[in-house]
């Protein structure tokens, strides 16, 4: 818990200090902060369907397949949050609020 709190504190002070902790919406803008066009956002939980849709968009036949990547991650989202304190959950919301908005992620009740 202390490690997560320290990471959140550091990230609040130095946003995007490492590409793995950057808000993901930052990758959907150009250098001047203008949004870039997005035709599809894929989710590991629905990877095969999303890759099929991507294949349709770009004209790939047969469509790309994700193998079992989606299966490994199916249902895992949010399980760690059940063990987090309310303060940590609010910290995640503060640091990643832009992603909650940009991707329409459900906001944890603690942050609403």
């Amino acid at each position: 818990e202390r490690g997560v709190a320290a990471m959140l504190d550091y990230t609040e002070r130095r946003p995007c200090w490492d590409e793995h902790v950057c808000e993901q919406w930052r990758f959907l803008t150009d250098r001047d902060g203008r949004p870039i066009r997005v035709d599809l956002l894929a989710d590991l939980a629905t990877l095969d369907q999303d890759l099929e849709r991507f294949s349709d968009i770009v004209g790939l036949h047969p469509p790309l397949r994700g193998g079992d990547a989606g299966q490994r991650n199916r249902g895992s989202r949010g399980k760690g949050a059940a063990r987090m304190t309310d303060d940590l959950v609010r910290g995640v919301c503060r640091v990643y609020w832009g992603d909650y908005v940009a991707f329409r992620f459900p906001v944890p009740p603690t942050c609403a």
Side-chain angles (χ1 to χ4, degrees):
E1 185 174 310
R2 279 189 306 201
V4 173
M7 186 276 300
L8 290 171
D9 181 58
Y10 190 78
T11 304
E12 281 188 278
R13 289 184 281 119
R14 294 190 65 212
C16 210
W17 57 272
D18 179 276
E19 68 184 48
H20 298 96
V21 297
C22 288
E23 292 173 292
Q24 297 300 295
W25 69 264
R26 294 177 185 273
F27 296 105
L28 301 177
T29 58
D30 66 16
R31 279 185 260 153
D32 296 322
R34 292 182 303 247
I36 59 173
R37 184 178 135 183
V38 176
D39 293 314
L40 174 73
L41 291 174
D43 187 321
L44 285 175
T46 57
L47 186 59
D48 283 335
Q49 296 94 321
D50 293 343
L51 285 174
E52 191 168 312
R53 174 74 179 118
F54 172 78
S55 296
D56 286 343
I57 291 170
V58 299
L60 290 177
H61 299 285
L64 296 172
R65 301 295 298 168
D68 67 344
Q71 295 298 322
R72 284 194 309 267
N73 292 288
R74 189 177 312 279
S76 64
R77 180 179 295 157
K79 286 185 179 179
R83 297 187 304 268
M84 293 175 64
T85 66
D86 287 350
D87 284 342
L88 284 179
V89 173
R90 283 190 288 271
V92 169
C93 290
R94 275 193 313 275
V95 169
Y96 296 105
W97 190 253
D99 285 346
Y100 282 102
V101 173
F103 300 112
R104 298 181 181 149
F105 291 147
V107 176
T110 305
C111 299

